[in-house]
Amino acid sequence: MAGKQSAGILLHRSGPDGVEVLLGHMGGPFWAKKDAGAWSLPKGEYEPDELPEAAARREFTEELGLPVPDGELVELGTVKQSGGKTVTAWALRGDLDPSAVVPGTFELEWPPRSGRIQEFPEVDRVEWFPLDAAREKIVKAQAAFLDRLPDAL
């Protein structure tokens, strides 16, 4: 049986100190008090019958509530996260205002075994980071996408 697969878009722009990337802080109670390693590019799972690029575009819109900016997607390859999920990513030059983000939501039984279902945002905040700062924030395996970005530009 194949492991779970996700696809996402690493949005980037030129900032005052060089390249900046857009990351989202993972929503929900498990991530609420974490910062380092708790940020991700907008991404999500897809089924075997969906093309990864189409999934990346869909997930960007679902997670951020905004359309994918126009532009050419540049493949950044794949990484395997510690939980076994394979993530495929594309770089896209573009800009958006983090205050315009209207995140998608998910439901979770919280507290555990309480029988109470609560709704949480997929991302609870979105920010632009210079590459060095992003490396400290992003999920460890996804840092490889930051390393590959300069060559893709």
Side-chain angles (χ1 to χ4, degrees):
M1 179 171 124
K4 292 184 178 182
Q5 297 188 332
S6 285
I9 296 175
L10 182 62
L11 197 64
H12 64 90
R13 67 181 187 186
S14 294
D17 297 318
V19 176
E20 296 178 339
V21 294
L22 185 78
L23 300 179
H25 183 268
M26 292 183 271
F30 300 117
W31 302 100
K33 294 182 179 175
K34 296 178 180 164
D35 190 53
W39 294 74
S40 174
L41 63 139
K43 64 165 186 53
E45 293 180 11
Y46 64 94
E47 297 299 323
D49 62 343
E50 185 177 16
L51 293 174
E53 182 178 324
R57 290 179 180 278
R58 174 181 51 76
E59 287 293 334
F60 185 97
T61 300
E62 285 180 11
E63 285 205 1
L64 303 182
L66 298 171
V68 176
D70 291 334
E72 179 185 353
L73 293 180
V74 178
E75 190 166 355
L76 294 174
T78 61
V79 298
K80 191 165 204 164
Q81 296 187 162
S82 60
K85 182 183 291 183
T86 300
V87 180
T88 303
W90 286 264
L92 175 64
R93 181 180 303 277
D95 202 357
L96 64 76
D97 179 357
S99 69
V101 168
V102 180
T105 60
F106 67 95
E107 291 185 339
L108 176 71
E109 180 181 11
W110 192 260
R113 297 179 294 286
S114 67
R116 185 171 170 223
I117 302 297
Q118 294 190 53
E119 190 173 75
F120 297 96
E122 295 212 31
V123 294
D124 55 23
R125 58 193 185 275
V126 176
E127 294 181 32
W128 287 100
F129 293 101
L131 285 178
D132 287 343
R135 278 187 187 87
E136 296 177 18
K137 303 282 186 182
I138 201 165
V139 172
K140 187 175 182 180
Q142 291 180 27
F145 297 134
L146 303 178
D147 296 338
R148 297 171 190 167
L149 183 61
D151 290 337
L153 299 180

